[in-house]
Amino acid sequence: MTPRMKHTWRWYGPNDPVSLKDICQAGAKGIVNALHEVPNGEVWQTSDIKKRKKIIEKTGLTWDVVESLPVHEKIKTRSGNFKHLIENYKLSLTNLANCGVQIVCYNFMPVLDWTRTKLDMKYKDGSYALEFNFDALRAFDLFILKRDGSKNDYSDEEFLKAETYYKLLSNDQKNKLCDNILKGLPGNEEGYSLEAFREILKTYNNINSDQLKKNLILFLKAIIPHAKKNGILMCIHPDDPPYSMLGLPRVVSKEKDYEYIFDKVPEINNGITFCTGSLGVIKENNLGKIFNNFANRVHFIHLRSTKRDSNGNFYEANHLEGDVDMYEIVSRIIIEQKRRYLNKRKDFNIPMRPDHGHQMLDDIRKKNVNPGYSAIGRLRGLAEIRGLEHGIIKII
Ligand code: DNO
């Protein structure tokens, strides 16, 4: 017996333009969901979790993964009532465990969750892709946000390129760039005005990557024993993109970051969301090696591919194109699942979701598409990955 991945799909809840019925037709069997309506820091109540679970199960699907149970900014900066917020986090974990939802994805990215500068990059086949461009980010930082000290962060050449980029933007494009960064992306639980954003950035003035890593470890030391007791598998999502931006530090971008985290908090419940798209942006990241080194604790997988250039810019490619060797990764996942199965571990079908997809075909005309989370683009990604998996299993 060679186990397959559990094919899942991120669903944003009852208001998601992609319905649970659509998801069934796409071939997914499981759902990745969060109670997005609960304000960050508050406890997820058992009754609300149960209600959501019932809606999902009515369609014959299962709620396999929480993405995300967001970590409050005050926990990341260890300020204000962070101790109380950690207790709330633990309570949400207890409630999820009591409802049988036991894989929990989260991240430790300061202020912003994932970030892109363009949500409608015209791809060569006529579909639209997400893009991250440094000139755009620096133009935002220097000329729209006007962050204190931002000029010191860039070389003369970088400054000039950002300035040229900015000068060519129309007012509409400037507003769009600002919105993309501050409030554009689905799953970002917080949206900011420019003023509020400037203020919150200041809370990181004295927190560099080393300090943020220490704060992450303290958070993990507080929650992992509790997760273990409740049979919860926590899985940290890597930084996306995996570089410091707008003066903000990063903690999970490279192999050595994982080594540090697992050295300090070794329990298997302290695990990984293995995201090929985020990790794949760094050329030096050997994805196959990273997967193998920590395979034991990969509890959730995001499969997507990015295409980078030598300046750190990237766009999201089709799932089997770009810089990620999807054949290698899916092969390694299959080997790991087989190993778990032979070792009588229960978690031998690792939940995987096709992460992001192009906006294509009818989704282009549909107004209401969550960037990256279109129906058809992800359906294509899932179909390609399932085909790849099927082929690999046939020949091994
Ligand atoms: C982007 C996603 C992220 C991810 C969180 C995990 O599409 O991968 O929003 O959900 O960062 O906590």
Side-chain angles (χ1 to χ4, degrees), residues 10 12 67-68 105-107 109 113-114 186-188 237-238 240 275 278 302 304 353 355-356 373:
R10 189 175 196 176
Y12 283 100
E67 181 176 358
S68 299
C105 169
Y106 69 101
N107 72 72
M109 285 182 257
D113 196 300
W114 60 304
N188 280 5
H237 188 283
D240 182 9
C275 176
S278 306
H302 286 180
R304 73 180 157 86
R353 69 174 178 84
D355 198 10
H356 305 172
Y373 289 89

Side-chain angles (χ1 to χ4, degrees), residues 5 254-255 258 262 272-276 279 285-303 325 328-340 350-352:
M5 297 180 279
K254 299 184 182 154
E255 190 175 338
Y258 288 119
F262 302 133
I272 294 182
T273 297
F274 191 78
C275 176
T276 52
L279 292 171
N285 275 348
N286 178 335
L287 297 194
K289 184 162 168 271
I290 297 181
F291 182 85
N292 268 18
N293 281 355
F294 308 108
N296 208 20
R297 54 176 88 236
V298 171
H299 303 312
F300 181 35
I301 299 167
H302 286 180
L303 293 180
D325 183 344
E328 183 198 5
I329 296 301
V330 174
S331 304
R332 288 184 192 269
I333 295 169
I334 291 170
I335 293 168
E336 168 62 11
Q337 294 186 145
K338 182 117 200 187
R339 190 189 67 79
R340 291 185 188 185
I350 308 176
M352 167 286 292

Side-chain angles (χ1 to χ4, degrees), residues 41 81-89:
N81 61 342
F82 77 93
K83 286 190 182 145
H84 171 71
L85 292 164
I86 291 181
E87 288 314 307
N88 280 359
Y89 201 95

Side-chain angles (χ1 to χ4, degrees), residues 308-350:
R308 52 175 183 256
D309 70 14
S310 54
N311 295 319
N313 308 314
F314 64 89
Y315 62 81
E316 303 206 359
N318 285 315
H319 288 73
L320 301 187
E321 296 163 16
D323 295 313
V324 172
D325 183 344
M326 206 55 87
Y327 169 78
E328 183 198 5
I329 296 301
V330 174
S331 304
R332 288 184 192 269
I333 295 169
I334 291 170
I335 293 168
E336 168 62 11
Q337 294 186 145
K338 182 117 200 187
R339 190 189 67 79
R340 291 185 188 185
Y341 177 73
L342 294 173
N343 285 334
K344 307 221 173 331
R345 257 171 78 160
K346 289 199 186 96
D347 57 343
F348 54 76
N349 304 112
I350 308 176

